[in-house]
Amino acid sequence: MARYTAVARALHWAIAVLILLNLALGFAHDAFPKDWAVMPVHKSIGLTILALTLLRIVWRLVHPAPRLPAAMPLWEKGAAHATHFLFYALMLILPLSGWIMTSAGTRPLNWFLLFDVPKFGVGKEDAIVGLSRGAHELLPWLWAALIAIHVGAALRHHLVLKDDVLRRML
């Protein structure tokens, strides 16, 4: 069985956990007590996702993914590739849109209080800030739906089709 490299698997699972955590924090941030620093943690996790995604892209370019099973229908291969492309796009767009929004605000941006992160030179009136805000509010819902589809497809391969698709990433 062809498997992803250990580094690819570690990046996959680390980013997956961080995404799930950040989606939960983003969706429920108003439910947390006001004195909890939920949004600074959310922003730090987002920056971590962005950095790990860039590393993951470089790793993937140097270490291609194992081929999908030959018996897999062409439409299913296309759907898998499209889903993965959308995941990578969201792993870049959502953290960048959050960074742009934060850059237009007055609050500092830092990474887990360890160091300051430079802000982009944008103001609240800039079109890119409005576009980023819209993307940052809408795209997490698409991401959650894609995650559900991705997990469902992986479980289908493992439990129903009984092939090695899921085991390649375990």
Side-chain angles (χ1 to χ4, degrees), residues 47-72:
L47 291 168
T48 304
I49 291 168
L50 180 60
L52 291 175
T53 298
L54 293 172
L55 177 61
R56 186 173 177 182
I57 289 169
V58 170
W59 188 262
R60 178 85 181 257
L61 290 173
V62 177
H63 302 88
R67 291 189 178 272
L68 292 169
M72 186 182 287

Side-chain angles (χ1 to χ4, degrees), residues 19-32 38-39 42 136 140-141:
I19 288 169
L20 292 173
L21 178 59
N22 234 21
L23 284 173
L25 290 174
F27 287 142
H29 71 275
D30 287 334
F32 289 97
V38 172
M39 290 316 291
H42 175 79
H136 210 76
W141 295 102

